[in-house]
Amino acid sequence: MSDDVRAPIRDFITGNFPDIVLKDDEDIFELGFVNSLFAMQLVMFVEKQFGIRVPNQELRLDSFRTIDSMASLVQRLTADAPVTT
């Protein structure tokens, strides 16, 4: 998986929690960094940053638990996006 997807996600999270060192596979919910407001900020960030719309069925904890899971979500949604010319 490309770091060009992971890097902005990592930067967004660490920008909000500058004292943490976060591995791409660490569960940010389990670590206690995420509350409901930050979870919505994550969704909005991912949508804006990558120009995608996260469908309702993807708005679940497993899609946003780790940097890896968010990167997978982005890659899956951008692969499914229609090509416009």
Side-chain angles (χ1 to χ4, degrees):
M1 200 174 311
S2 173
D3 195 53
D4 61 326
V5 174
R6 285 188 184 101
I9 296 169
R10 188 181 313 106
D11 291 345
F12 178 76
I13 295 169
T14 57
N16 284 277
F17 303 98
D19 295 332
I20 67 165
V21 176
L22 186 63
K23 296 177 187 169
D24 291 351
D25 62 348
E26 286 186 291
D27 187 329
I28 61 175
F29 289 89
E30 190 175 282
L31 293 172
F33 296 123
V34 180
N35 59 28
S36 58
L37 177 60
F38 188 67
M40 289 310 302
Q41 290 174 324
L42 268 174
V43 173
M44 292 186 311
F45 168 78
V46 166
E47 288 183 332
K48 184 176 181 180
Q49 176 71 32
F50 300 103
I52 57 175
R53 180 85 176 127
V54 178
N56 288 341
Q57 66 268 22
E58 294 289 355
L59 292 174
R60 57 182 201 263
L61 290 180
D62 287 342
S63 296
F64 291 88
R65 281 191 187 281
T66 66
I67 293 170
D68 285 340
S69 63
M70 287 181 263
S72 292
L73 173 68
V74 168
Q75 290 182 327
R76 194 168 57 253
L77 293 176
T78 54
D80 293 342
V83 176
T84 57
T85 56

